[in-house]
């Protein structure tokens, strides 16, 4: 038994009470009282028909480890976990909840389904960690400490990104990634679906995007300078049926999947499939090395129409209000050399290639706006003028985010300094295994403040939140994604949920030491915590 735990047990502090304090992200307010609610073979779940799906989800969280059936009833009076929608909790916002535990019942109340769901996530983390075992565990007392929690998130965009372009990730893993997001009360998966090195979503009108664009002949091995290749074909894509399944799975867990279809750069896989989309007419191959490619889309009307056709299919699959169109790292060399691109600049009365990129993005912004959606892109979309309704992801530091918020645009903070989870987690690179570079330890993620001090309180309202980036050049497998994402995503979840004044790193680490055991039970290959100093 760890020393601290032993001391607390000797002092008469109940172990399960300590677990109340091991909820990640830390709730806004927790009041502990004496006693426990104990789950047993006759505990029921009470829910109205409108919460039937959530009640079943709760049942699926509790039944496997406990072996208890948790029958669903309409009006359990005692020994029940009651889920309830109640407008009087609207003051807790659209994702807040109240969870109260007494000796004979548990009540989870919210004005929304999402709030009830987050109450359920807290309840899971108030039980002994064994509840996260998917197989039956015997001999555990399933106590939940009597308490009242009132809780709501600080930010509305609480996300993780996943690049499936550089390395394809199987659908089953994407579903697990969504489950882990939900466990941490995160609500956005930014699904980076197209890259130079692979196009990952079936588009019925353009079948070669996946028959050609989803496959590369080999992959760079080791760091860029080494110029080594593995000689092994790599590829894969999601059919539209699989995309629907992912989106539905996420919806059921209150996660919005924001698709990213990159343009006008990071387009080599698409141009390899359809050379007429490029500037040179040359037959290219799907990218095999990392970095920024010169081969970008041309600016012909037919190519803009291609983007709209692709997006039309994408919009039918993803209900997300925001649609990400990339916009980063688009070298302008080919547009400078292209008579067609130069003619376009002249015909449109534009100043230069930056304004041409801006024109490109404006076309897409108008298209999305007409369909009732909103464009979001990386901060390069600021160059040459931002489309009126567009939102920005600030990745090259915070400057883009500050400029956008000051100009009245919504922003998601994604600075490389604090949210790039492809960076190393320690300075011991040998021990960590190959990563792209950088250094982003857990405490630095935890220290992140998404609202830049340069913003006044009105401007700050444009900061929707933040998200962690999982670029997968050097992350070839699901297990490696988990290693890079966790536990840093736990820290980010708390940055995005918990009030700033309530954050405390040593307290977080104490809860995290309990929490990582839950991740183990969920078979997550998280990076082990550094030993206590
Ligand atoms: C990016 O990291 N290129 C957005």
């Amino acid at each position: 038994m760890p020393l601290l735990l032993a001391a607390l047990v000797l002092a008469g502090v109940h172990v399960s009470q300590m677990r109340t304090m091991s909820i990640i992200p830390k709730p806004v307010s927790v009041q502990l009282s004496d006693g426990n609610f104990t789950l047993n073979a006759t505990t029921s779940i009470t829910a109205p028909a409108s919460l039937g799906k959530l009640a079943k989800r709760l049942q699926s969280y509790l039944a496997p480890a406990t072996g208890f059936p948790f029958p669903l009833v309409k009006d359990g009076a005692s020994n029940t976990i009651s889920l309830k929608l109640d407008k009087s909790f609207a003051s807790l916002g659209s994702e807040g909840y109240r969870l109260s535990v007494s000796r004979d019942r548990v009540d989870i109340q919210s004005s929304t389904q999402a709030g009830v769901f987050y109450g359920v996530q807290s309840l899971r983390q108030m039980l002994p960690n064994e509840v996260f075992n998917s197989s039956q565990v015997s001999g555990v007392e399933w106590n939940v400490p009597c308490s009242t929690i009132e809780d709501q998130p600080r930010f509305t965009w609480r996300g993780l990104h996943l690049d499936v372009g550089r390395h394809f990730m199987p659908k089953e893993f994407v579903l697990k990634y969504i489950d882990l997001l939900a466990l941490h009360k995160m609500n956005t998966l930014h699904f980076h679906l197209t890259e130079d090195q692979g196009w990952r979503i079936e588009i019925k009108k353009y079948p070669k995007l996946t028959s050609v664009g989803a496959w590369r002949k080999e992959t760079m091995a080791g760091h860029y300078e080494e110029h080594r290749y593995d000689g092994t074909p790599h590829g894969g894509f999601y059919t539209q049926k699989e995309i629907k399944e992912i989106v539905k799975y996420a919806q059921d867990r209150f996660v919005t999947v924001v698709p990213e279809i990159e343009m006008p750069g990071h387009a080599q896989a698409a141009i390899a499939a359809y050379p007429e989309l490029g500037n040179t007419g040359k037959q290219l191959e799907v990218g095999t090395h990392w970095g920024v490619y010169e081969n970008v889309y041309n600016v012909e009307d037919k190519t803009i129409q291609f983007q709209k056709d692709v997006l039309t299919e994408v919009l039918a699959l993803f209900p997300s209000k925001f649609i990400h169109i990339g916009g980063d790292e688009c070298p302008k060399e080919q547009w400078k050399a292209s008579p067609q691109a130069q003619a376009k600049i002249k015909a449109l009365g534009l100043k230069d290639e930056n304004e041409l990129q801006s024109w490109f993005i404006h076309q897409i912004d108008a298209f999305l706006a007409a369909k009732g959606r909103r464009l979001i892109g990386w901060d390069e979309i600021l160059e040459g003028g931002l489309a009126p309704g567009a939102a920005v992801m600030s990745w090259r530091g915070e400057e883009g985010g500050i400029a956008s918020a000051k100009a009245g645009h919504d922003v998601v903070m994604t600075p490389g300094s604090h949210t790039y989870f492809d960076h190393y987690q320690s300075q011991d690179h040998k021990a960590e295994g190959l990563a792209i570079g950088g250094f982003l330890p857990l405490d630095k993620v935890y220290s992140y403040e998404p609202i830049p001090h340069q913003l006044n309180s009105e401007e700050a309202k444009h900061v929707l939140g933040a998200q962690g980036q999982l670029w997968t050049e050097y992350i070839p497998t699901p297990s490696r994604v988990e290693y890079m994402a966790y536990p840093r995503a736990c820290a980010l979840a708390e940055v995005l949920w918990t009030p700033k004044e309530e954050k405390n790193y040593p307290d977080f680490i104490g809860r995290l030491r309990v929490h990582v055991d839950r991740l183990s039970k969920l078979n997550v290959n998280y990076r082990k915590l550094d030993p206590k100093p």
Side-chain angles (χ1 to χ4, degrees), residues 2-223:
L3 265 182
L4 173 67
L5 186 55
L8 287 168
V9 169
L10 284 174
V13 176
H14 198 279
V15 171
S16 59
Q17 284 192 351
M18 288 185 53
R19 288 206 174 97
T20 316
M21 290 174 270
S22 299
I23 299 173
I24 290 179
K26 185 180 182 185
V28 173
S29 130
V30 180
Q31 305 277 329
L32 275 169
S33 45
D34 288 343
N36 292 298
F37 175 81
T38 305
L39 302 186
N40 60 31
T42 57
T43 304
S44 63
I45 296 175
T46 300
S50 59
L51 290 173
K53 241 163 66 172
L54 272 177
K56 284 223 168 71
R57 175 120 306 113
L58 173 59
Q59 197 179 40
S60 77
Y61 288 142
L62 302 179
T66 60
F68 305 148
F70 298 98
L72 308 187
V73 299
K74 284 243 153 33
D75 48 4
S78 66
N79 195 12
T80 195
I81 304 169
S82 161
L83 309 182
K84 196 167 166 194
L85 285 173
D86 184 338
K87 287 211 171 52
S88 63
F89 292 96
S91 60
L92 292 173
S94 61
E95 298 178 291
Y97 66 93
R98 184 173 200 270
L99 190 165
S100 61
V101 182
S102 65
R103 287 173 204 264
D104 70 347
R105 55 185 289 135
V106 175
D107 286 281
I108 299 176
Q109 294 159 292
S110 171
S111 65
T112 66
Q113 301 243 354
V116 172
F117 181 72
Y118 292 134
V120 164
Q121 296 306 325
S122 289
L123 178 62
R124 289 174 87 191
Q125 297 192 28
M126 293 164 79
L127 278 155
N129 280 0
E130 283 71 16
V131 81
F132 288 87
N133 263 331
S134 57
S135 54
Q136 199 168 324
V137 180
S138 58
V140 175
E141 267 202 33
W142 301 101
N143 284 344
V144 187
C146 291
S147 51
T148 303
I149 294 181
E150 283 201 3
D151 202 13
Q152 65 187 109
R154 182 177 172 206
F155 291 102
T156 58
W157 188 301
R158 305 181 302 277
L160 283 187
H161 150 284
L162 183 63
D163 167 14
V164 293
R166 270 55 175 265
H167 280 101
F168 178 69
M169 300 289 159
K171 182 197 74 185
E172 290 67 28
F173 173 67
V174 177
L175 302 184
K176 183 180 180 191
Y177 199 69
I178 290 167
D179 272 321
L180 290 171
L181 278 166
L183 170 65
H184 296 88
K185 302 190 176 84
M186 305 263 256
N187 64 0
T188 306
L189 167 60
H190 172 171
F191 205 16
H192 184 84
L193 285 163
T194 71
E195 258 307 336
D196 297 301
Q197 299 86 359
W199 183 285
R200 306 292 178 217
I201 175 172
E202 177 191 22
I203 300 295
K204 305 236 190 232
K205 188 160 186 184
Y206 300 99
K208 288 205 284 188
L209 287 172
T210 44
S211 67
V212 174
W215 310 95
R216 61 175 180 257
K217 68 172 194 246
E218 60 183 353
T219 300
M220 177 167 260
H223 270 134

Side-chain angles (χ1 to χ4, degrees), residues 243-490:
I243 292 280
K244 282 182 192 153
E245 189 184 334
I246 290 168
V247 168
K248 170 79 169 55
Y249 193 90
Q251 273 177 331
D252 285 347
R253 289 152 183 81
F254 301 88
V255 171
T256 300
V257 185
V258 177
E260 179 177 354
I261 306 296
E262 270 267 11
M263 62 189 82
H266 287 289
Q268 183 150 324
I271 299 169
Y274 295 99
E276 63 272 26
L277 298 171
N279 292 281
T280 68
K282 277 196 205 124
Q283 177 61 60
L284 304 172
E285 57 176 28
V286 175
T288 56
H289 63 81
W290 313 131
V292 176
Y293 285 70
E294 280 197 0
N295 297 302
V296 303
Y297 288 119
N298 66 41
V299 292
E300 303 303 300
D301 293 344
K302 270 181 1 204
T303 298
I304 301 290
Q305 188 56 47
F306 162 84
Q307 308 297 354
K308 293 179 182 175
D309 291 343
V310 168
L311 288 172
T312 298
E313 294 192 30
V314 167
L315 297 187
L317 296 166
F318 295 91
S320 166
K321 183 85 176 169
F322 282 103
I323 302 293
H324 204 300
I325 53 76
D328 60 317
E329 299 180 323
C330 177
K332 306 296 188 294
E333 277 65 29
Q334 292 191 342
W335 290 354
K336 283 184 185 149
S338 154
Q340 289 87 348
Q342 291 305 311
K344 195 101 188 182
I345 288 177
K346 229 171 159 184
L348 294 168
L350 303 175
K351 200 167 75 201
D352 58 14
E353 291 75 21
N354 279 337
E355 286 199 357
L356 187 58
Q357 160 147 352
S358 182
W359 170 83
F360 192 117
I361 303 292
H362 274 67
Q363 304 306 300
I364 303 305
D365 182 67
F367 173 79
L368 291 174
K371 307 274 182 198
R373 308 295 183 102
R374 289 184 63 193
L375 179 150
I376 187 165
W378 301 107
D379 57 43
E380 285 93 331
I381 67 171
L382 283 164
E383 293 161 9
L386 194 55
V392 168
M393 278 192 176
S394 186
W395 73 280
R396 297 175 300 175
E398 299 191 302
E399 289 71 22
I402 294 165
S404 306
K406 282 189 181 295
H409 289 275
D410 287 340
V411 178
V412 176
M413 299 305 287
T414 56
S417 57
H418 291 78
T419 67
Y420 268 44
F421 293 172
D422 54 339
H423 291 178
Y424 281 105
Q425 303 183 69
S426 88
Q427 300 283 29
D428 184 352
H429 292 187
K430 263 222 175 82
E432 293 296 324
L434 189 67
I436 195 164
F439 177 45
L440 178 54
L442 184 62
D443 60 342
K444 187 166 178 192
V445 177
Y446 194 82
S447 75
Y448 183 52
E449 168 48 39
I451 297 188
H453 66 85
Q454 292 90 337
L455 300 182
N456 66 32
S457 59
E458 272 311 301
E459 293 159 351
K461 289 183 186 155
H462 288 294
V463 178
L464 304 180
Q467 73 180 21
Q469 278 43 252
L470 275 296
W471 299 106
T472 57
E473 289 97 327
Y474 296 90
I475 306 182
T477 60
S479 128
R480 195 68 189 161
V481 172
E482 292 178 355
Y483 182 87
M484 300 304 275
Y486 289 93
R488 288 185 290 195
C490 306

